[in-house]
Amino acid sequence: MLKLPLSLRTTMCLLFLFISFNSGGMLKMASAQRTWCIANPLTNISALLGNLDFACSHVDCQLIQQGGSCFYPNTPIHHASFAMNLYFQVMGRHSSHCDFRGSGLISLTDPSYESCSFHSEGDLAEAPPSATWCVAKPGSGEYILQQNINYACNYVDCSPTHDGGSCFNPTTLINHASFAMNLYYQTSAKNTASCDFRNSGLVVVNDPSSGDCTYASIRYVRYL
Ligand SMILES: *[C@@H]1O[C@H](CO)[C@@H](O)[C@H](O)[C@H]1NC(C)=O
């Protein structure tokens, strides 16, 4: 057997310990946070359909076709979000892969529901931004979106989502619900629980604000 000087053996031993410790630490970090990509609720239908076409030319969109486990709800925002997420995952989860000309949001919460699973393999490729917002899950049904509006608007001012308000368009329940849910999240404890809404809320790390419509934010430093 090769005889190494004691000091070299000690160094190698320490190096081995360091590598084992470090790779264990990395594995733990990788499994601790997963990320997904979804469409911003403020995105209009033509932009959503554009995103759907683009993403589905790169990834397998079978699950959102009729008979697939993610076909329902059959809405552009849900189908676009599903395809945008697959594209984001396949490309390696850089924020640029969830940009879609400013219409994508990176979620820290799993958008899966019932039998529809949104795949994720891990955290963002870059350091995550520190601010967070809350939006409705793209697969949420109309009933729960309306319930969330009724609940959150008891506590926060939802007038920007009323006719003539800066967040009225697009006139979809998911936009109006997301506005209300975010404001509720920002003004309450702003922990994951205040964006839960019976498992219909997602914590995202990009500002959904667009045009004149502002989704409020209170900056904080803790990464969930
Ligand atoms: C939809 O949004 C895109 C991107 O913001 C914009 O360029 C386009 O004019 C909008 N289309 C409609 C019909 O509002």
Side-chain angles (χ1 to χ4, degrees):
M1 199 186 147
L2 185 64
K3 265 234 179 254
L4 294 171
L6 185 62
S7 62
L8 186 55
R9 271 191 284 164
T10 312
T11 310
M12 285 180 70
C13 193
L14 282 175
L15 193 64
F16 175 74
L17 274 175
F18 175 75
I19 291 168
S20 331
F21 179 78
N22 210 29
S23 58
M26 302 252 290
L27 278 175
K28 205 172 149 208
M29 271 178 64
S31 59
Q33 181 65 64
R34 291 186 297 157
T35 45
W36 294 262
C37 178
I38 56 155
N40 186 333
L42 284 169
T43 314
N44 65 38
I45 289 189
S46 52
L48 289 173
L49 296 178
N51 292 351
L52 183 63
D53 279 351
F54 172 80
C56 292
S57 68
H58 292 85
V59 299
D60 180 1
C61 287
Q62 238 178 344
L63 291 179
I64 48 174
Q65 280 150 19
Q66 190 124 35
S69 57
C70 296
F71 178 67
Y72 293 108
N74 182 6
T75 58
I77 191 157
H78 167 56
H79 285 185
S81 295
F82 183 85
M84 289 161 72
N85 178 59
L86 276 185
Y87 178 80
F88 173 68
Q89 301 297 335
V90 162
M91 299 299 282
R93 289 178 312 283
H94 294 267
S95 5
S96 59
H97 300 138
C98 184
D99 184 60
F100 295 93
R101 292 185 213 168
S103 67
L105 300 175
I106 292 159
S107 176
L108 303 180
T109 321
D110 188 351
S112 304
Y113 64 91
E114 295 167 19
S115 59
C116 173
S117 170
F118 274 60
H119 174 68
S120 174
E121 282 171 9
D123 207 348
L124 259 185
E126 310 90 10
S130 57
T132 53
W133 290 260
C134 176
V135 297
K137 206 177 259 197
S140 304
E142 296 196 343
Y143 177 77
I144 189 139
L145 293 173
Q146 188 62 58
Q147 293 279 303
N148 291 350
I149 292 172
N150 297 349
Y151 175 79
C153 296
N154 277 328
Y155 299 94
V156 298
D157 176 14
C158 291
S159 59
T161 61
H162 300 162
D163 199 349
S166 58
C167 298
F168 180 60
N169 289 311
T171 55
T172 55
L173 277 180
I174 196 162
N175 174 35
H176 295 176
S178 296
F179 177 91
M181 291 159 73
N182 178 61
L183 205 48
Y184 179 85
Y185 171 67
Q186 301 293 340
T187 54
S188 50
K190 204 173 171 187
N191 49 37
T192 323
S194 58
C195 180
D196 182 61
F197 294 94
R198 284 181 281 166
N199 199 25
S200 68
L202 304 176
V203 174
V204 299
V205 298
N206 323 90
D207 188 350
S209 303
S210 170
D212 294 334
C213 173
T214 302
Y215 272 46
S217 155
I218 297 163
R219 282 197 79 87
Y220 82 135
V221 288
R222 194 169 61 90
Y223 178 44
L224 291 171

